[in-house]
């Protein structure tokens, strides 16, 4: 029984090892939330199928990789419920029931869906053949993910509030249709999600191959950071640099290091006391120093997959108890008490 009233629900798709953008953009917030709220952190493997249905053979390994990343950074299964979406079949049933009350045009107007279809198809002419029924229905599945635990606080960045409107609308529609006050309307829990750039200056992303993984070795981190784009106007070592034009290393310094180090780098850069190569070498050292203990813990956990999956099984069990109860209540509200009658025989 959690001592906290507010329920935070959030998830990640298992598409491979996580990068430092996931750490600073999401996991740092989760580490705080687990101390103050009843948290449900889900590896949403059904969602991985919405766009990667032809790569399902990777899912098991990817679930393991994400779990290793979560546990090694400090997500604590004793503070938060850490579970696998597909281990909770009640979510799929709630998804089905909610889909029955969801107007078609609500799904079609969902802005994130349009972006996902565009991303998936690459070319508009291919959109209809590549977008599946499952993808179109993903906002309903996301709503079921939240409502099954009556999640009322959902972490989102300032620019992502619209993502939640759909879930709020469905919760309200359910309550209105069946004249109950059952589902809370999930509210945004605004988080600071700094834009973490990859080494090419674009947003850090797994598919862009511009990322630095939490699990990367020191050597690989150094090699990647060496390639990071700096101040393009700085030609030689004697030219003063401009931290405000520095595309990747300086922005990373502002996220990863403290003010004193940032000021020192700024001063040395702008007085041409340090070259970009040396500056990037030092940045790689800061990243490696910070992630060193996390990487060690990750390597230890990776040697014991059975133990790691046991942790997930425990979370699945806890999550499922709540999900079973919610689904039972939803079925009663919707008039499915006939199911209880059948169970008598
Ligand atoms: Fe960027 Fe460092 Fe080069 Fe300055 S010295 S431009 S901060 S990499």
């Amino acid at each position: 029984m959690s001592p906290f009233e507010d329920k935070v629900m959030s998830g990640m798709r298992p598409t491979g090892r996580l990068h430092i953008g996931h750490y600073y953009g999401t996991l740092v917030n989760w580490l705080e939330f687990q101390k103050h709220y009843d948290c449900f952190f889900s590896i949403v493997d059904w969602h991985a199928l919405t766009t990667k249905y032809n790569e399902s053979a990777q899912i098991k390994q990817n679930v393991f990789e994400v779990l290793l990343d979560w546990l090694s950074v400090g997500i604590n299964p004793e503070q938060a419920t850490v579970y696998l979406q597909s281990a909770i079949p009640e979510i799929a049933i709630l998804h089905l029931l909610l889909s029955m009350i969801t107007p078609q045009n609500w799904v079609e107007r969902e802005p994130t869906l349009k972006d996902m279809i565009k991303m998936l198809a690459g070319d508009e002419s291919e959109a209809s053949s590549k977008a599946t029924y499952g993808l179109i229905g993903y906002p309903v599945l996301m709503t079921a993910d939240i409502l099954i635990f009556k999640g009322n606080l959902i972490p989102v960045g300032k620019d992502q509030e619209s993502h939640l409107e759909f879930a709020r609308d469905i919760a309200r529609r359910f309550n209105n249709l069946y004249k109950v006050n059952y589902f809370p309307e999930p509210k945004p829990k605004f988080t600071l999600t700094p834009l973490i750039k990859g080494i090419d200056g674009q947003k850090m992303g797994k598919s862009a191959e511009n990322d630095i993984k939490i699990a990367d070795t020191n050597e690989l981190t150094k090699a990647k950071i060496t390639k990071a784009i700096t101040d393009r106007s700085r030609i030689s070592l004697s030219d003063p640099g401009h931290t405000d034009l520095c595309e990747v290393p300086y922005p990373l310094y502002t996220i990863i290091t403290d003010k004193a180090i940032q000021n020192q780098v700024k001063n040395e850069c702008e007085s041409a006391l340090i070259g970009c190569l040396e500056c990037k070498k030092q940045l790689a050292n800061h990243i490696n120093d910070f992630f060193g203990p996390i990487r060690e813990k990750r390597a230890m956990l990776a040697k014991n997959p059975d133990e790691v999956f046991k942790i997930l099984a425990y979370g699945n069990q806890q999550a499922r108890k709540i999900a079973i109860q919610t689904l039972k209540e939803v079925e009663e509200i919707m008039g499915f008490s006939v199911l209880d009658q059948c169970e008598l025989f």
Side-chain angles (χ1 to χ4, degrees):
M1 188 74 182
S2 166
F4 306 114
E5 218 175 280
D6 285 322
K7 290 189 170 71
V8 167
M9 193 276 144
S10 199
M12 277 191 195
R13 301 203 301 166
T15 50
R17 292 181 173 185
L18 303 180
H19 53 63
I20 64 171
H22 292 115
Y23 178 77
Y24 290 103
T26 303
L27 294 173
V28 160
N29 293 316
W30 286 14
L31 293 173
E32 271 309 298
F33 294 157
Q34 67 182 2
K35 295 183 212 154
H36 307 291
Y37 302 103
D38 187 10
C39 289
F40 293 82
F41 297 142
S42 176
I43 302 179
V44 287
D45 50 347
W46 283 328
H47 280 285
L49 288 182
T50 54
T51 52
K52 306 240 176 205
Y53 48 83
N54 53 349
E55 294 172 28
S56 57
Q58 308 292 325
I59 288 180
K60 185 176 176 192
Q61 183 61 30
N62 288 347
V63 165
F64 184 56
E65 299 290 351
V66 170
L67 197 54
L68 286 177
D69 285 324
W70 286 8
L71 297 174
S72 57
V73 302
I75 297 301
N76 183 349
E78 286 174 13
Q79 286 181 306
T81 305
V82 173
Y83 65 97
L84 183 67
Q85 183 190 35
S86 64
I88 319 293
E90 290 72 23
I91 295 173
I93 302 175
L94 184 61
H95 167 231
L96 173 85
L97 294 175
L98 294 179
S99 74
M100 300 301 173
I101 67 163
T102 303
Q104 184 182 334
N105 61 352
W106 285 18
V107 184
E108 287 167 348
R109 73 179 182 215
E110 178 62 15
T112 51
L113 179 68
K114 284 183 193 152
D115 290 346
M116 280 174 84
I117 292 176
K118 230 187 275 167
M119 211 172 68
L120 180 72
D123 169 352
E124 223 162 271
S125 61
E126 289 195 53
S128 58
S129 61
K130 290 205 175 159
T132 62
Y133 175 62
L135 175 62
I136 312 284
Y138 105 87
V140 187
L141 181 56
M142 193 188 75
T143 303
D145 286 322
I146 297 169
L147 296 186
I148 197 86
F149 301 111
K150 302 195 188 129
N152 61 325
L153 286 178
I154 311 302
V156 287
K158 274 272 181 218
D159 54 340
Q160 301 168 317
E161 196 181 357
S162 64
H163 296 197
L164 255 192
E165 269 166 32
F166 187 89
R168 271 207 297 263
D169 287 347
I170 298 285
R172 196 176 309 132
R173 185 168 166 84
F174 179 93
N175 290 343
N176 288 342
L177 272 173
Y178 300 106
K179 300 184 176 35
V180 286
N181 187 15
Y182 183 69
F183 283 129
E185 289 180 26
K187 292 191 186 71
K189 172 76 187 152
F190 290 118
T191 54
L192 285 178
T193 46
L195 174 70
I196 314 284
K197 287 186 184 173
I199 53 173
D200 58 358
Q202 303 302 310
K203 187 179 176 194
M204 190 175 282
K206 274 185 271 190
S207 47
E209 291 185 4
N210 65 357
D211 64 356
I212 296 158
K213 303 255 191 300
I214 292 173
D216 279 347
T217 60
N218 289 359
E219 293 67 34
L220 188 54
T221 304
K222 262 185 205 158
K224 286 180 175 177
I225 288 287
T226 305
K227 292 189 205 149
I229 297 176
T230 62
D231 169 4
R232 291 176 198 258
S233 70
R234 191 177 188 198
I235 309 295
S236 70
L237 203 62
S238 55
D239 294 336
H242 306 85
T243 47
D244 52 339
L245 297 179
C246 178
E247 292 193 28
V248 182
Y250 193 72
L252 280 177
Y253 268 104
T254 64
I255 290 160
I256 289 164
T257 64
D258 61 32
K259 272 270 174 251
I261 293 173
Q262 291 166 33
N263 290 340
Q264 187 187 338
V265 171
K266 190 174 169 59
N267 179 39
E268 289 179 350
C269 167
E270 293 176 357
S271 330
L273 290 172
I274 191 172
C276 290
L277 208 57
E278 175 58 24
C279 183
K280 290 193 275 189
K281 203 169 127 194
Q282 290 179 15
L283 174 63
N285 289 341
H286 287 298
I287 296 173
N288 287 336
D289 285 349
F290 180 80
F291 285 99
I294 290 171
R295 288 167 176 170
E296 267 174 40
K297 186 173 172 190
R298 195 184 192 283
M300 290 288 289
L301 288 166
K303 285 184 194 151
N304 294 297
D306 288 351
E307 289 305 309
V308 171
F309 280 117
K310 239 188 241 173
I311 293 172
L312 190 61
Y314 172 76
N316 292 343
Q317 226 175 29
Q318 301 308 306
R320 201 152 178 226
K321 276 187 213 157
I322 301 168
I324 288 171
Q325 184 60 30
T326 303
L327 187 64
K328 192 171 180 294
E329 289 164 5
V330 167
E331 285 175 336
E332 275 168 17
I333 291 169
M334 291 180 83
F336 283 88
S337 48
V338 64
L339 290 175
D340 294 337
Q341 294 293 127
C342 300
E343 278 167 14
L344 290 175
F345 300 101

